Amino acid sequence: EDFYVRYFAKMVVGGGRDQEFQEFEFCSNGRFRFARNFLQGGFFEGKQLRKECFLSQASLRVLKGLVLKSGILQMDDSQWPAPTRESRQEIEIKCQGIHVVFATKLHWSLPHIDAGRKCAHVREMSEFDELAEEIKGFGKSILNFFGIPRSS
């Protein structure tokens, strides 16, 4: 089965001159890729980090379980905050014959999403955020396992 998961986030900093980003990519052949640039943050400042390794099918089954449990394959992002030039996060998934790409503004909390209003899409945004955190946590645990330095 073709299985693919990609999480990407970017934020423009420094008055629009620079952007920080991070990306986690998992492919059905086991390839895991991580990329991040650091515009601030001590030792890594001004550097890019790119790492790649191969995971077992058992590891990919764990990730696939997280994706299926999230319900993201049935979500509709039409009411979500649109990404901007300054702020974007994406989740792309190919799983069980379905290919979805969700893009929204990078946000820090649910109250920020709906500006204090009660919105119907808040539950789905919460599930999107939860899956984003699980994908990042899964990828960071792999980086930690292999002793690959990273910043949070």
Side-chain angles (χ1 to χ4, degrees):
E1 177 194 356
D2 195 20
F3 178 69
Y4 177 81
V5 175
R6 179 178 152 275
Y7 173 80
F8 172 81
K10 79 163 187 158
M11 177 177 60
V12 174
V13 295
R17 294 186 322 271
D18 298 311
Q19 68 178 1
E20 283 194 347
F21 74 88
Q22 69 176 351
E23 181 175 38
F24 297 87
E25 181 182 51
F26 302 86
C27 300
S28 59
N29 66 356
R31 185 181 68 183
F32 164 64
R33 294 190 321 164
F34 170 75
R36 171 130 191 223
N37 71 335
F38 300 88
L39 298 178
Q40 50 197 352
F43 175 77
F44 291 109
E45 185 171 350
K47 297 181 180 178
Q48 287 193 359
L49 180 62
R50 296 184 185 278
K51 297 295 175 181
E52 182 174 322
C53 66
F54 283 83
L55 306 176
S56 70
Q57 290 302 306
S59 296
L60 290 178
R61 280 193 297 275
V62 170
L63 181 60
K64 183 177 180 181
L66 295 173
V67 167
L68 294 174
K69 183 184 83 170
S70 74
I72 196 165
L73 297 175
Q74 290 77 38
M75 289 185 191
D76 174 12
D77 65 349
S78 62
Q79 299 297 309
W80 296 2
T84 65
R85 189 179 98 60
E86 294 80 24
S87 171
R88 177 181 198 89
Q89 65 178 339
E90 301 173 2
I91 293 180
E92 179 178 4
I93 297 172
K94 292 180 187 175
C95 183
Q96 296 184 330
I98 300 170
H99 182 202
V100 294
V101 180
F102 296 103
T104 187
K105 184 176 182 179
L106 187 60
H107 50 273
W108 309 111
S109 66
L110 286 178
H112 177 73
I113 293 170
D114 68 357
R117 299 181 309 274
K118 297 290 183 195
C119 295
H121 66 274
V122 170
R123 182 186 58 75
E124 284 189 350
M125 288 301 307
S126 176
E127 292 167 356
F128 175 92
D129 289 335
E130 184 177 318
L131 180 59
E133 288 303 314
E134 288 178 340
I135 291 168
K136 291 187 293 184
F138 189 79
K140 289 174 183 180
S141 68
I142 294 164
L143 296 173
N144 286 338
F145 181 76
F146 289 106
I148 298 170
R150 61 162 183 82
S151 174
S152 44

